[in-house]
């Protein structure tokens, strides 16, 4: 903290892209509800947070507690006046979620309180399949291309969604297709404000296509290319979004989900300025295809964010995502990768064998961010913090931004 003081900003407000949203109250209620943190929920409600407040996807605390199996929180929210039949952007009630995840006791509690399940009544089809006829691919607009195929903007039931097509050269291999379906089935179980929502796989279709929510602001890669370096408040708010999404994946109930390919291209931004993580687990399939002799084009791009132990083909764990996260945060403060001219594979090689890391000029990086990044990209994976630790650290940095002390002019010029 020697060189850096935080600029003043209004209390409990933070920047999300173009908008300033007062997100702490509702965000914390949702967060505590999804973690089964009854005390945290009580605290938020006592602060006056409305029990039916919903996120951008219209998901309430009761939706999150129901899908995460947090019985005590469900009971508490209902007692405090949460609407048992609030409907999210995908037409789902808390009971739809509790049913999908097999939380029998929660289903009974919700039903006893008048809960209904419009999705379950409507259809016997597993919720992750959508009939091809519901989407007019002829009107699809191409919005991007990745290593698996193209991404299109399409309309489904009146809503703009993204259709991800998987190249037939990949999907025609039954083993690879099965792996995809397994990853997608896992993805469809996930619900978090910082995770791109999976909607379903198209059936009765001769190609493998799946739908996710559409994020109109594109990827963090696009944002950094357009805007360059972000101001520290925005960078910290974005870092928190990513860390919260990643923490949800790492703390997934049945088994931790390791992303393996966390890059600025796999972080997308919604209309409200919130960042969401996408494409987790799919890189596992990329590795399988390497075995099958299929060279993934995307792998090259991902070298820049690859943890040394992955590059050296050693065994690895969740902390590989923490390493990638540090490089993404570094880019947000700098406006892009520090070594853009270098070959990505050479960059990964130097990181793995020469312990090289991007520069952390005190002129650009506030002291607490420098310390955090050094921990996150530590060469020993066991010394890297968890995303839970990272969230706490970033929240404390964010709090300090809200103090009224002006930042010294040297930092103000260099950072903002
Ligand atoms: N749900 C979405 N909403 C809006 N734009 C999207 C969505 N998904 C992807 N895109 C856009 O399409 C581009 C390509 O996405 P895709 O996930 O196929 O590839 P990638 O992440 O760039 O590379 P790779 O497939 O190797 O991970 C993204 O960079 C983004 O701009």
């Amino acid at each position: 903290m020697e060189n850096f003081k935080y600029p003043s900003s209004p209390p409990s407000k933070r920047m999300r892209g173009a908008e300033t949203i007062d997100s702490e109250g509702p965000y914390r209620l949702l967060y505590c509800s999804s973690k089964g943190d009854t005390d945290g929920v009580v605290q938020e409600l006592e602060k006056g947070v409305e029990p039916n407040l919903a996120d951008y996807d219209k998901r309430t605390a009761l939706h999150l507690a129901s899908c995460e199996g947090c019985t005590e929180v469900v009971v508490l929210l209902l007692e405090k006046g949460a609407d048992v039949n609030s409907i999210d952007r995908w037409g789902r009630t808390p009971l739809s979620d509790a049913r999908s995840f097999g939380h029998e006791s929660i289903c009974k509690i919700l039903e006893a309180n008048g809960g209904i399940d419009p999705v379950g009544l409507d259809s016997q089809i597993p919720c992750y399949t959508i009939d091809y006829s519901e989407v007019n691919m002829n009107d699809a607009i191409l919005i991007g291309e990745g290593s698996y195929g193209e991404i299109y903007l399409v309309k489904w039931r009146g809503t703009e969604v993204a259709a991800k097509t998987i190249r037939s050269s990949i999907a025609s291999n039954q083993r690879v297709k099965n792996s995809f379906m397994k990853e997608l089935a896992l993805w469809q179980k996930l619900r978090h404000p910082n995770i791109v929502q999976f909607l379903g796989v198209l059936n009765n279709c001769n190609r493998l296509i799946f739908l996710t929510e559409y994020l109109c602001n594109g990827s963090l890669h696009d944002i950094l290319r357009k805007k360059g370096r972000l101001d520290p408040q925005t960078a910290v708010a974005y870092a928190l979004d990513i860390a919260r999404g990643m923490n949800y994946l790492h703390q997934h109930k049945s088994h931790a989900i390791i992303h393996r390919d966390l890059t600025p291209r796999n972080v997308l931004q919604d209309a409200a300025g919130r960042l969401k993580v996408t494409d987790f687990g799919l890189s596992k399939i990329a590795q399988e295809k390497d075995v099958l002799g299929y060279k993934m084009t995307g792998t090259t791009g991902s070298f820049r964010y690859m943890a040394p132990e992955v590059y050296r083909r050693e065994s690895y764990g969740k902390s590989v995502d923490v390493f990638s996260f540090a490089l993404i945060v570094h880019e947000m403060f700098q406006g892009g990768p520090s070594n853009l001219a270098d070959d990505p594979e050479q960059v990964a090689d130097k990181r793995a064998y020469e312990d090289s890391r991007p520069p952390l000029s005190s002129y650009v990086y506030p002291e607490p961010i420098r310390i955090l990044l050094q921990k996150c990209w530590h060469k020993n994976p066991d010394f890297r913090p968890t995303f839970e630790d990272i969230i706490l650290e970033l929240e404390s940095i964010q709090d300090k931004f809200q103090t009224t002390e002006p930042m010294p002019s040297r930092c103000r010029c260099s950072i903002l």
Side-chain angles (χ1 to χ4, degrees):
M1 288 295 298
E2 280 163 27
N3 302 323
F4 176 74
K5 291 222 175 69
Y6 297 92
S8 59
S9 70
S12 75
K13 300 259 180 191
R14 62 183 173 130
M15 294 299 292
R16 280 190 184 279
E19 287 189 11
T20 304
I21 345 169
D22 190 354
S23 63
E24 283 311 300
Y27 196 95
R28 187 142 274 284
L29 177 67
L30 296 179
Y31 180 73
C32 294
S33 301
S34 70
K35 304 274 288 178
D37 176 358
T38 318
D39 291 345
V41 173
V42 170
Q43 272 172 19
E44 291 311 305
L45 294 173
E46 280 176 357
K47 274 188 217 159
V49 175
E50 156 65 52
N52 289 310
L53 269 174
D55 68 12
Y56 176 71
D57 296 323
K58 298 193 180 162
R59 293 185 60 72
T60 61
L62 193 57
H63 277 107
L64 296 176
S66 300
C67 76
E68 292 299 325
C70 306
T71 314
E72 266 184 57
V73 176
V74 167
V75 172
L76 174 66
L77 288 166
L78 288 169
E79 278 172 4
K80 299 290 178 188
D83 178 2
V84 72
N85 286 321
S86 53
I87 294 196
D88 73 7
R89 205 169 141 204
W90 323 113
R92 299 177 67 86
T93 59
L95 182 58
S96 317
D97 284 0
R99 276 205 181 140
S100 293
F101 299 103
H103 300 307
E104 294 298 331
S105 57
I106 294 184
C107 290
K108 284 190 185 136
I109 295 166
L110 294 169
E111 280 163 349
N113 282 274
I116 55 159
D117 174 12
V119 178
L121 292 177
D122 257 15
S123 149
Q124 296 304 310
I125 307 169
C127 64
Y128 60 87
T129 58
I130 293 167
D131 201 85
Y132 184 63
S133 61
E134 290 191 50
V135 177
N136 184 354
M137 288 302 287
N138 293 331
D139 289 342
I141 300 166
L142 183 68
I143 50 173
E145 192 172 353
S147 23
Y148 303 101
E150 297 100 25
I151 312 281
Y152 294 91
L153 171 61
V154 296
K155 277 228 169 150
W156 172 57
R157 299 187 185 176
T159 305
E160 288 187 325
V161 298
K164 191 154 183 164
T165 62
I166 307 300
R167 280 183 231 296
S168 33
S169 55
I170 301 173
S172 58
N173 180 309
Q174 197 53 45
R175 193 160 75 86
V176 173
K177 188 172 177 184
N178 290 346
S179 302
F180 253 108
M181 297 307 282
K182 220 170 107 199
E183 290 307 320
L184 296 181
L186 177 60
W187 188 353
Q188 69 118 26
K189 288 189 170 183
L190 307 179
R191 302 275 185 284
H192 189 273
N194 301 111
I195 294 294
V196 170
Q197 185 63 53
F198 175 81
L199 297 174
V201 180
L202 295 191
N203 62 5
N204 298 324
C205 164
N206 54 10
R207 294 182 66 188
L208 177 52
I209 303 177
F210 62 91
L211 304 186
T212 70
E213 68 173 304
Y214 169 64
L215 288 104
C216 63
N217 288 347
S219 71
L220 180 59
H221 171 83
D222 303 331
I223 294 168
L224 293 177
R225 270 200 358 192
K226 235 180 282 164
K227 291 192 179 168
R229 123 179 355 171
L230 304 176
D231 66 79
Q233 291 96 326
T234 307
V236 170
Y238 283 6
L240 261 171
D241 280 345
I242 302 171
R244 284 175 174 142
M246 290 307 304
N247 194 40
Y248 172 81
L249 294 182
H250 282 191
Q251 294 193 355
H252 189 252
K253 285 242 167 70
S254 45
H255 65 279
I257 300 173
I258 305 178
H259 192 301
R260 295 179 174 83
D261 191 25
L262 185 61
T263 71
R265 286 178 194 274
N266 284 332
V267 174
L268 304 173
Q269 191 183 48
D270 70 16
R274 173 178 293 163
L275 298 191
K276 302 193 182 200
V277 177
T278 190
D279 279 1
F280 27 84
L282 299 187
S283 65
K284 244 195 296 186
I285 302 160
Q287 288 155 18
E288 270 191 55
K289 283 200 301 299
D290 271 347
V291 173
L292 293 169
Y294 181 87
K295 181 80 186 139
M296 296 295 292
T297 54
T299 310
T300 316
S302 306
F303 275 130
R304 282 188 194 284
Y305 308 92
M306 193 176 273
E309 62 273 24
V310 178
Y311 184 76
R312 292 192 300 254
R313 294 180 179 254
E314 295 165 0
S315 63
Y316 61 83
K318 291 187 278 190
S319 64
V320 297
D321 291 336
V322 173
F323 185 94
S324 308
F325 170 81
L327 290 160
I328 295 175
V329 175
H330 184 268
E331 281 190 21
M332 293 198 286
F333 278 85
Q334 184 150 291
S338 54
N339 38 19
L340 200 55
D342 298 347
D343 171 59
E345 193 163 354
Q346 271 174 9
V347 172
D349 198 273
K350 280 191 184 164
R351 290 206 180 122
Y353 293 108
E354 295 170 29
D355 210 14
S356 100
R357 297 289 184 272
L360 279 172
S361 142
S362 60
Y363 214 62
V364 174
Y365 294 88
E367 182 72 2
I369 293 290
R370 269 202 290 161
I371 294 170
L372 182 65
L373 294 188
Q374 280 163 343
K375 284 187 205 160
C376 291
W377 64 39
H378 200 285
K379 67 175 173 188
N380 183 339
D382 295 338
F383 290 177
R384 294 176 202 150
T386 62
F387 276 109
E388 193 155 13
D389 300 331
I390 294 170
I391 291 170
L392 290 175
E393 183 58 30
L394 288 170
E395 282 176 344
S396 123
I397 294 173
Q398 195 173 51
D399 283 349
K400 287 175 194 152
F401 275 138
Q402 291 168 357
T403 63
T404 48
E405 266 186 285
M407 198 161 44
S409 55
R410 187 170 79 87
C411 282
R412 210 175 318 153
C413 306
S414 60
I415 294 170
L416 299 176

